[in-house]
Amino acid sequence: FEMAYKNGYAIGAFNVNNMEIVQGITEACKEENAPVILQVSKGARAYANHTYLVKLVEAAVKECPDIPIVLHLDHGPDFETCKACIDGGFTSVMIDGSHLPFEENVALTKKVVDYAHDVAARGRYITVEGELGTLAGIEDDVKVEHGAESYTKPEEVIEFVERTGVDSLAIAIGTSHGAYKFKPGQKPQLRFDILEEVSKRLPGFPIVLHGASSVIPEYVEMINANGGKMPDAIGIPEDMLRQAAKMAVCKINIDSDLRLAMTGSIRQYFMEHPDHFDPRQYLKPARANIKDLVKRKLVNVLGCNGKA
Ligand code: G3H
Ligand code: 13P
Ligand code: ZN
């Protein structure tokens, strides 16, 4: 994060749920010599099982010895899940207390930080991401309607960081989770003024952007052209994300774009090959699409290619 901050780039944090996703992401980062964060949500752990995910990431670390790979818990819902991930091989966790009142968010986040930073007890330092402000959209089983989201209050960030001891802070500046971030006709906007205010108050401190998929139109079109129905899926323009990465944003979370690339590819494959039924045939181009997508993000959004 320190290097990313100083050099005006961000590290991509990509959500992983299965082998092909892990391979597509890490092959791209290996070829582009980029550091990478592989992150796992509560839903991913429920789907693929903690041990399988850890072993897939261990395999990627072995296959890519020259790039730094972080295994991070995305949106840790409670202390117990964070503890299970810390004890179970993760190198970083997020505790998401953003839906709680300030004092409760501080108390929960501090509890996770105290456990994660206890190097004497676990022999290694686990980084912790906290969050202030709420994003619209769906993450695991929490759904926040558009209009019910709340921007981060810059006047709260110093107290939150000082009292909790977090290593990075996710803030809400207008991004949202999922594929429907803006309505058709609505001008995509991010509150760069809030980001600026936060970074003035926390100089040099790494900021995290969730809900940062650009919902790449080519993949939405690929889905819709092949039997899918995702009208009006709109994301954050890539140039806005690149601008954020040049500012205090050091970690950019991307999940929906991976899903679109994979789904578009599989839909197209089935339309073109209705008689095929071997998963290796349709997952191979899906994995290649994920690799292409990640390479594109490294250059267009993150700027961390060549930085490993
Ligand atoms: O912010 C949430 C991520 O997109 C993960 O989604 O909870 O469906 O795995 P998920
Ligand atoms: P997207 O839905 O924009 O990909 O956001 C992912 C995310 O924030 C994961 O925590
Ligand atoms: Zn998120």
Side-chain angles (χ1 to χ4, degrees):
F1 284 153
E2 201 180 319
M3 285 161 72
Y5 201 107
K6 278 190 196 141
N7 296 297
Y9 63 86
I11 301 162
F14 299 97
N15 286 73
V16 298
N17 294 280
N18 66 18
M19 183 185 76
E20 286 75 12
I21 298 175
V22 171
Q23 288 175 329
I25 297 164
T26 53
E27 280 172 19
C29 293
K30 184 181 181 176
E31 284 180 21
E32 296 296 329
N33 197 34
V36 67
I37 298 167
L38 299 177
Q39 57 184 15
V40 166
S41 69
K42 174 184 162 196
R45 287 176 85 237
Y47 169 75
N49 170 312
H50 178 97
T51 310
Y52 280 90
L53 290 165
V54 170
K55 294 295 168 191
L56 284 173
V57 174
E58 279 177 12
V61 169
K62 202 170 172 188
E63 289 295 319
C64 310
D66 298 327
I67 58 167
I69 300 180
V70 170
L71 174 54
H72 173 79
L73 170 66
D74 188 28
H75 294 287
D78 47 43
F79 175 78
E80 290 66 32
T81 308
C82 292
K83 182 178 181 302
C85 289
I86 292 167
D87 295 346
F90 282 44
T91 55
S92 174
V93 295
M94 173 190 193
I95 175 69
D96 186 353
S98 61
H99 55 287
L100 297 171
F102 185 81
E103 284 299 325
E104 288 173 41
N105 190 359
V106 168
L108 175 61
T109 305
K110 185 174 180 337
K111 189 175 174 189
V112 172
V113 169
D114 288 346
Y115 189 78
H117 288 183
D118 190 350
V119 181
R122 36 205 57 83
R124 59 203 172 100
Y125 184 97
I126 308 295
T127 49
V128 180
E129 174 184 331
E131 179 166 345
L132 271 179
T134 51
L135 275 69
I138 303 171
E139 66 203 36
D140 278 323
D141 27 40
V142 181
K143 183 173 190 324
V144 179
E145 298 293 342
H146 281 274
E149 69 272 37
S150 61
Y151 294 116
T152 302
K153 298 188 184 87
E155 59 276 18
E156 289 183 348
V157 299
I158 296 178
E159 186 183 345
F160 186 80
V161 168
E162 283 180 352
R163 285 178 61 193
T164 59
V166 280
D167 302 281
S168 64
L169 181 68
I171 62 168
I173 60 166
T175 61
S176 58
H177 289 109
Y180 302 90
K181 301 184 193 297
F182 300 102
K183 298 218 156 44
Q186 195 184 6
K187 191 165 170 266
Q189 266 172 340
L190 293 184
R191 292 288 303 272
F192 283 104
D193 57 320
I194 296 179
L195 175 57
E196 194 76 57
E197 273 302 314
V198 167
S199 54
K200 263 190 216 148
R201 287 170 158 87
L202 297 172
F205 192 81
I207 299 301
V208 178
L209 219 52
H210 281 248
S213 278
S214 43
V215 187
I216 297 174
E218 292 96 290
Y219 290 123
V220 176
E221 278 156 30
M222 194 188 267
I223 288 172
N224 290 336
N226 290 286
K229 203 172 183 185
M230 295 192 66
D232 308 334
I234 299 171
I236 316 288
E238 286 184 336
D239 60 329
M240 287 189 188
L241 296 164
R242 184 74 198 96
Q243 190 184 332
K246 286 182 184 162
M247 297 166 73
V249 171
C250 295
K251 172 175 181 273
I252 292 190
N253 287 11
I254 297 168
D255 185 9
S256 296
D257 277 328
L258 298 170
R259 297 178 182 196
L260 293 166
M262 187 159 209
T263 302
S265 169
I266 292 171
R267 280 194 174 279
Q268 187 176 49
Y269 189 89
F270 281 139
M271 291 296 265
E272 288 170 359
H273 308 91
D275 55 326
H276 286 191
F277 64 99
D278 180 344
R280 292 171 300 187
Q281 289 175 319
Y282 59 83
L283 290 175
K284 202 171 169 183
R287 181 173 59 192
N289 257 18
I290 286 185
K291 184 173 169 182
D292 283 354
L293 165 77
V294 171
K295 284 194 174 190
R296 170 184 173 147
K297 294 283 172 187
L298 294 175
V299 176
N300 290 8
V301 170
L302 302 159
C304 67
N305 46 327
K307 299 291 199 286

